[in-house]
Amino acid sequence: MDSSLFRKIPQIEQLMQQPEIAACELAWSRSETIDALRAILGEVRDELRSGEPLPDFASAAFAERVRTALEKMREPSLKPLINATGIVIHTNLGRAPLAPAALDAIKSTAAGYTNIEYTLETGKRGSRYDHTRDLLCELTGAEDAIVVNNCAAAVTLCLATFAKDKEVIVSRGELIEIGGSFRVPDIIAQNGAVLKEVGTTNKTKLSDYEQAISENTAVLLKTHTSNYKIIGFTAKPALQELASLAEDHDLILIEDLGSGTLLDLSEYGIGDEPTVKQRISEGAHLLTFSGDKLLGGPQCGIITGRKDLIAQLKTNPLLRAMRIDKLSLAALEATLRLYKPPFAPEQEIPVLRMLTATLEDLEQKAVKLQNMLASQTQANTKVDRIEGEAGGGSLPGTSLPSFGVRLVCAALTPGHLIDALRRSRPPIIARITGGDVILDVRTISETDFHYVTDAIDDISQHSLSQ
Ligand SMILES: *Cc1c(COP(=O)(O)O)cnc(C)c1O
């Protein structure tokens, strides 16, 4: 390393005098141009330390480098990416991609005014909860329904309305943490209710619930064990039994389903989740579930159940702080319509289409991606059968066999390769399985294959030239 080179790095003020860089100041701003130059000069020092030559600061190439840095600084923080993990409902990657019909509904609702709280027949004030109520009742068999901004809010609203200063009975096998510090015991405490745990981790009997009931009990709460499964020597009462126990003692039976599905996925050989309709028919008084998990819609929390109870929820002032926005509501209504004839939800709704994709389809898709990679890049690729999962606290313990492309780039470790994929544009999020980077095709749209090919071509050329 030649330390005299460091002294040849010009001052920022000096660089700002150059016409092409001065033009940046007009196109962006002075402070951003200074930030970009400062960052680039830092990079130049690193380059000198690793033995690279000094760039020509007066060249067009250097000015281009400044403009590229400025453009990068203005890029949106939130951006689309390619999910190659195979995890269909990935909370960190935004859960459910929406169906085209839902996107159209968002666009037309966002662009102008709507009748969100206005009754067109009478010209009077209306309720935002009316737009999806009939659809939700029809699809779940419930008497009434209300929608809030997510399922955590739905559970909170139910407990705050019905269990304040009262006791809530929960099985020890269902005291769940959903993530993001949403823990059932804490939520109960936070809403001024008292948790009464019954049974054991693996076995809870109807009589455990029965013996715990006191005159202060208000709610029997069941929760879906979304992100784990207790298997082996286990027992819990049927929902019907809990429903009659609740009715005998004038209690409310609430079930937090979390990922509640409207479509019976077991018909496609996927898991054994009950549908929302089944749980309503088995006697749950109130059910809570997310809009952006197995339903495949926008972020929201849905509460379906008894009319008198939903009416009470509507009187809770907390509801105002949890209300669903018009864009999510528009997307939810459009998504729910796709569950009705003539539509086939498993075709129209991306989450369901990805989950119900057949192994043959996935294999064909993987072969197609592999062919593109083999003909257009230097990477070593191989189609492999792999195990995936639904994710997002849906279908716990249910493995989803899939196909992926195993990827090896000369001169790059799997760790470096996965980093390089993540830094591509658009970013590609993959995972490492069996020591190799795998692109699971379940969650990659075929229309995005060219991005994947281009990114891997770039990465493998770059790694070979190093
Ligand atoms: C995911 C989940 C929630 C939280 O749902 P959000 O819509 O993310 O707020 C609550 N309960 C259960 C059982 C869940 O699986």
Side-chain angles (χ1 to χ4, degrees), residues 375-398:
S375 67
Q376 292 167 48
T377 79
Q378 309 269 332
N380 262 315
T381 53
K382 180 172 174 284
V383 169
D384 250 341
R385 210 188 123 141
I386 51 178
E387 293 299 324
E389 54 181 310
S394 303
L395 308 167
T398 303

Side-chain angles (χ1 to χ4, degrees), residues 95 150-152 176 178 224 226 256-259 290 292-293 300 393:
R95 291 199 184 153
N150 60 19
C151 185
I176 58 172
I178 296 142
H224 183 250
S226 297
D256 176 24
L257 272 180
S259 56
S290 287
D292 55 355
K293 290 184 180 171
C300 62

Side-chain angles (χ1 to χ4, degrees), residues 191-451:
N191 286 290
V194 177
L195 167 65
K196 216 158 180 188
E197 305 175 20
V198 296
T200 61
T201 306
N202 56 328
K203 282 199 170 198
T204 303
K205 300 183 196 127
L206 187 67
S207 57
D208 293 327
Y209 284 93
E210 194 162 14
Q211 280 156 21
I213 295 172
S214 76
E215 58 202 29
N216 214 14
T217 307
V219 169
L220 303 184
L221 176 67
K222 276 195 64 67
T223 63
H224 183 250
T225 55
S226 297
N227 35 24
Y228 65 97
K229 210 171 178 119
I230 297 177
I231 53 170
F233 188 57
T234 65
K236 54 183 172 189
L239 199 67
Q240 292 95 325
E241 294 178 293
L242 282 176
S244 31
L245 182 67
E247 265 141 40
D248 290 348
H249 293 84
D250 211 13
L251 306 175
I252 302 168
L253 174 61
I254 303 176
E255 182 169 35
D256 176 24
L257 272 180
S259 56
T261 177
L262 300 181
L263 187 75
D264 187 356
L265 287 166
S266 66
E267 283 179 15
Y268 298 83
I270 304 166
D272 51 5
E273 295 276 313
T275 61
V276 176
K277 196 169 200 161
Q278 256 167 284
R279 295 311 255 182
I280 288 283
S281 75
E282 286 167 8
H285 299 151
L286 286 175
L287 282 179
T288 55
F289 55 101
S290 287
D292 55 355
K293 290 184 180 171
L294 291 176
L295 192 146
Q299 177 190 308
C300 62
I302 298 165
I303 311 172
T304 56
R306 250 167 52 190
K307 211 178 184 77
D308 60 318
L309 301 177
I310 301 276
Q312 259 179 281
L313 291 175
K314 286 185 180 166
T315 65
N316 191 327
L318 255 188
L319 178 59
R320 177 65 178 74
M322 303 173 167
R323 76 180 187 187
I324 184 171
D325 72 287
K326 64 177 181 176
L327 303 187
S328 304
L329 192 61
L332 177 65
E333 183 184 355
T335 306
L336 292 172
R337 289 200 191 286
L338 297 175
Y339 279 90
K340 291 179 41 147
F343 300 111
E346 74 283 8
Q347 288 306 320
E348 306 281 346
I349 297 175
V351 161
L352 298 176
R353 190 170 58 230
M354 289 187 271
L355 283 172
T356 60
T358 64
L359 263 182
E360 290 84 356
D361 290 346
L362 293 167
E363 183 171 20
Q364 267 179 21
K365 206 170 158 188
V367 168
K368 185 167 176 191
L369 178 60
Q370 197 245 346
N371 283 339
M372 285 174 69
L373 289 168
S375 67
Q376 292 167 48
T377 79
Q378 309 269 332
N380 262 315
T381 53
K382 180 172 174 284
V383 169
D384 250 341
R385 210 188 123 141
I386 51 178
E387 293 299 324
E389 54 181 310
S394 303
L395 308 167
T398 303
S399 150
L400 286 175
S402 183
F403 275 91
V405 178
R406 199 171 284 275
L407 197 61
V408 178
C409 281
L412 279 184
T413 64
H416 285 131
L417 178 53
I418 215 155
D419 288 346
L421 287 167
R422 202 179 53 248
R423 292 195 194 104
S424 302
R425 290 188 199 198
I428 299 166
I429 313 301
R431 61 194 170 105
I432 296 179
T433 303
D436 286 327
V437 173
I438 296 276
L439 306 171
D440 186 331
V441 294
R442 185 189 294 276
T443 46
I444 312 176
S445 162
E446 275 194 41
T447 54
D448 284 344
F449 278 3
H450 68 282
Y451 288 123

Side-chain angles (χ1 to χ4, degrees), residues 146-204:
I146 189 175
V147 186
V148 291
N149 65 25
N150 60 19
C151 185
V155 176
T156 299
L157 183 66
C158 290
L159 291 173
T161 307
F162 299 112
K164 195 165 180 336
D165 303 323
K166 305 256 178 62
E167 284 169 8
V168 178
I169 301 179
V170 189
S171 158
R172 289 195 171 92
E174 297 178 0
L175 287 170
I176 58 172
E177 173 184 304
I178 296 142
S181 73
F182 189 87
R183 294 174 151 196
V184 165
D186 299 343
I187 297 302
I188 290 173
Q190 206 139 59
N191 286 290
V194 177
L195 167 65
K196 216 158 180 188
E197 305 175 20
V198 296
T200 61
T201 306
N202 56 328
K203 282 199 170 198
T204 303

